[in-house]
Amino acid sequence: MEKIYSSKAKNDVANTVDESAPNPDHDQLSAAIDNLIDDLSTVDDKSTSPELPDTVDTFVNIVESNINMYNAIQSGTRFAKITEDDEFFIDAVRRLSKLKIALEEFPNVTFNTINKVLQLAIMLLEDEFQAILQDSNTTSDTITKGAEPESYNEEEFPGYSKENVVLMNKIVAVMIPSGYQYECCQAYGTIRKDELNDQIKRFEFDKRTIVRSVLFVAEQELGETVFSEHLPVFTGVFINLIRGITTSLLEFPTTVALEKPKSKRLFKFLDIYESICDLNAAIDDPDPGHDKLEEYSNLKTEISTVGDTIGEVLVNMFNDLKHSISNDTNKAQIQGGAVHPLTRYVMNYLKCALDDYKNMLERIFRQHVENDPSSDMENASLSKQLSGVIELLDANLQTKSTHYKDPSLRYIFLMNNNRYVLQIVRETNEMKQLIGDNWCRRKSSDVRNYHKSYQRETWTKLLQWLTQEGVQVNGKPNRRVLKERFKNFNGMFDDIHKTQSTWVVSDQQLLSEMRVSINAVVSPAYRSFVGRYKPQFEGSKSIDKYIKYQPEDIESLIECLFEGTEKVETQLNAIQALSTVKQTTGAFKNLLKTYKNVGLM
């Protein structure tokens, strides 16, 4: 064997390489080593050690010299331009690895120098591989829900230049065949996992960004490019990467799942839940014969199990909202009968939930019933859940209304809050579809009934002083009775205006409707009463005492109702400012008189 080998190999080397040359040609050296590897692989009798040509020493010395040169350069920049010399070095390490593998077939041969230099070369490449991986250019700024990172481009790799991706591919193509698959995969998996964890924290669980933009589209493309010559190896790396990211992603919600659910966390968990669902859907099932089929299956099962757990937590969070409503026993009265903070919180909570997560919530409640046979299918639907929350809110508002001692203000409070609930439902298509037109009609009827009750409680009582009954005595208007009627009307109207001008009706349409309806019953009655009995006071010095308001004054004052304390005081300040410049027109005097009557001057 040795004779055959020496004759052939040495002649090949002698014919291709001038060993006396001070700088042997790289191409000639590479060709000589390739021929040597081919010759070694064709030897049948491996029991006799081959005689290696001096070209091997030359080749090893050149590789070692390059190692020393590259070690003097900062990690991550050694192959910045990938010159011809860089290409030679990387290819030389691969050839050295192949030569080592070929020599291992001969049990009696020693190649300590080759092994030593190869280890140094692989260590250098591994160090460069890690440095490039860690030199990701992704931003560190927090990215809020729905936003896209400025530096991200779906056509590019996440944080790496194409040159660095090509270089990483070359390094992987050397390390794995050289027996350093574990080191290669360990470095890649650890660094990419840390980077993706940072990305997830910055994106604040934005499902679309995590699953589509960062984790799968870009990350899988990056890995498949870097490991293009060893895709089965990358499959294992990717599965472990996903499992690690999933574990990190679920640490917080899984921990919280063991605690008492809080409704305020609903939206964060809905984002996490959708990320989990998208994560599971995005993991394509491999071919039936794939060597990682069981690992894929187990991973998807793990993700699905956690998704089911989070789904149950979300159901409990929704139930926590109901408990929060039922247990809100705060007796504090909202000034002016305005919309209660609980009403605003609950309705905007539902609006946000249904605007962004309606389909997901329907799926969650449907799965809840499927996983819990004891659950009532009908009552577990999203529409029933929504109706149940609003019914609890209605009951709570009814209780809160009893804390108002003034019945009129009680009805204003109920009218304001029910109108607010109705408007939110009407403005939210998803909510209106779930709850239905019949519910909207019933709620509108409730608002009208509260309006009628308010009007009956306040203005019907006032109008009793404007009735014709009892005014006539012996067929003639009785001045004493008329004085009493006007006096009582003025006193009650002043009290109503003083009080109710500080009440609040925030819905502009409802405010307009109320003022119109009040004027429609009060103004004609007062105008008729004054028109009929004013002649009884003509020529009397006390006419202004009893006929305190003209019909137009009553209409103007009704238009000032339900402005709220702040707006009334603002108008008063405007009046006082006008007075400083002596703009004392008749209109100003009447307006000033109005504010004196309501006790603000």
Side-chain angles (χ1 to χ4, degrees), residues 358-507:
K358 175 177 174 286
N359 294 335
M360 196 191 320
L361 285 168
E362 285 181 328
R363 180 171 61 188
I364 289 168
F365 284 112
R366 185 170 59 250
Q367 284 183 330
H368 172 67
V369 174
E370 293 172 354
N371 296 335
D372 184 4
S374 64
S375 299
D376 185 344
M377 175 67 80
E378 182 180 357
N379 290 330
S381 67
L382 183 57
S383 61
K384 287 291 184 180
Q385 293 291 329
L386 175 60
S387 299
V389 170
I390 295 180
E391 287 171 6
L392 287 171
L393 178 61
D394 284 342
N396 189 290
L397 292 172
Q398 286 288 345
T399 301
K400 291 186 185 305
S401 72
T402 62
H403 302 148
Y404 292 95
K405 302 306 179 186
D406 186 332
S408 296
L409 183 54
R410 185 182 310 147
Y411 291 124
I412 290 291
F413 173 80
L414 289 170
M415 190 166 30
N416 273 324
N417 283 270
N418 279 269
R419 177 72 168 217
Y420 186 85
V421 171
L422 177 61
Q423 288 302 100
I424 291 294
V425 171
R426 283 175 170 170
E427 293 169 1
T428 310
N429 290 332
E430 292 78 7
M431 199 181 300
K432 186 177 179 182
Q433 290 172 4
L434 285 170
I435 209 164
D437 291 331
N438 288 336
W439 179 92
C440 291
R441 284 191 287 269
R442 289 195 301 271
K443 183 60 69 174
S444 295
S445 178
D446 289 343
V447 174
R448 287 194 298 271
N449 288 335
Y450 291 134
H451 186 177
K452 291 176 182 177
S453 297
Y454 156 77
Q455 195 149 308
R456 183 169 55 249
E457 189 66 37
T458 301
W459 301 102
T460 301
K461 291 181 179 180
L462 176 69
L463 292 176
Q464 67 180 335
W465 304 115
L466 303 179
T467 62
Q468 304 298 322
E469 185 179 352
V471 174
Q472 302 281 342
V473 176
N474 297 326
K476 295 181 179 181
N478 187 289
R479 279 173 59 89
R480 184 184 62 79
V481 173
L482 287 172
K483 287 179 180 180
E484 191 68 22
R485 291 289 186 88
F486 277 113
K487 179 182 177 181
N488 289 334
F489 176 88
N490 292 336
M492 182 177 285
F493 183 81
D494 287 347
D495 287 342
I496 291 172
H497 190 271
K498 177 180 179 179
T499 302
Q500 297 193 17
S501 61
T502 62
W503 292 359
V504 176
V505 176
S506 52
D507 184 281

Side-chain angles (χ1 to χ4, degrees), residues 571-582:
Q571 291 174 338
L572 177 59
N573 292 334
I575 293 170
Q576 292 171 335
L578 286 173
S579 69
T580 61
V581 294
K582 300 180 179 180

Side-chain angles (χ1 to χ4, degrees), residues 58 72 78 134 174 202 211 219 395 413 466 495 510 535 601:
T58 302
R78 294 176 176 125
Q134 290 171 340
V174 172
R202 288 167 44 253
V211 176
E219 189 63 33
F413 173 80
L466 303 179
D495 287 342
L510 179 59
M601 290 190 68

Side-chain angles (χ1 to χ4, degrees), residues 234-298:
F234 173 68
T235 299
V237 173
F238 194 52
I239 289 175
N240 290 332
L241 182 61
I242 295 173
R243 180 176 283 113
I245 293 300
T246 304
T247 301
S248 175
L249 184 68
L250 302 178
E251 280 179 356
F252 170 70
T254 304
T255 301
V256 174
L258 303 175
E259 304 173 358
K260 182 180 178 180
K262 297 291 184 181
S263 58
K264 65 182 180 181
R265 290 172 169 165
L266 179 74
F267 301 106
K268 174 73 76 175
F269 273 72
L270 282 168
D271 280 343
I272 297 173
Y273 179 83
E274 189 161 7
S275 290
I276 294 167
C277 292
D278 285 352
L279 184 65
N280 208 7
I283 301 175
D284 297 327
D285 291 324
D287 296 332
H290 198 286
D291 61 348
K292 299 290 183 178
L293 180 62
E294 184 176 356
E295 290 187 42
Y296 266 107
S297 178
N298 291 340

Side-chain angles (χ1 to χ4, degrees), residues 6 24 91 114 156 190 235 239 255 287 324 342 348 358 366 394 407 488 494 533 537:
S6 298
D91 289 339
I114 294 175
E156 297 178 357
T190 300
T235 299
I239 289 175
T255 301
D287 296 332
S324 298
L342 177 66
N348 283 284
K358 175 177 174 286
R366 185 170 59 250
D394 284 342
N488 289 334
D494 287 347
Y533 296 114
F537 298 92

Side-chain angles (χ1 to χ4, degrees), residues 518-579:
I518 293 169
N519 260 318
V521 296
V522 175
S523 181
Y526 184 73
R527 186 180 296 276
S528 175
F529 196 80
V530 170
R532 174 173 294 187
Y533 296 114
K534 184 177 181 180
Q536 300 298 320
F537 298 92
E538 292 290 351
S540 171
K541 293 181 180 180
S542 60
I543 186 171
D544 290 340
K545 177 181 178 181
Y546 297 106
I547 304 179
K548 186 177 179 179
Y549 299 109
Q550 296 302 313
E552 294 78 11
D553 296 332
I554 294 294
E555 293 173 358
S556 297
L557 292 170
I558 287 173
E559 289 298 316
C560 294
L561 296 176
F562 316 118
E563 295 283 10
T565 302
E566 291 183 3
K567 189 164 184 179
V568 169
E569 291 178 346
T570 300
Q571 291 174 338
L572 177 59
N573 292 334
I575 293 170
Q576 292 171 335
L578 286 173
S579 69

Side-chain angles (χ1 to χ4, degrees), residues 131-182:
I132 296 170
L133 281 170
Q134 290 171 340
D135 189 26
S136 172
N137 295 324
T138 50
T139 177
S140 60
D141 295 333
T142 298
I143 298 172
T144 56
K145 178 174 166 48
E148 291 292 338
E150 293 182 1
S151 62
Y152 179 71
N153 184 331
E154 290 185 0
E155 297 180 356
E156 297 178 357
F157 297 109
Y160 302 105
S161 66
K162 292 182 179 179
E163 290 78 11
N164 276 346
V165 173
V166 170
L167 179 56
M168 286 191 287
N169 172 264
K170 292 179 177 295
I171 293 174
V172 168
V174 172
M175 289 184 67
I176 291 179
S178 300
Y180 291 85
Q181 176 176 315
Y182 173 82

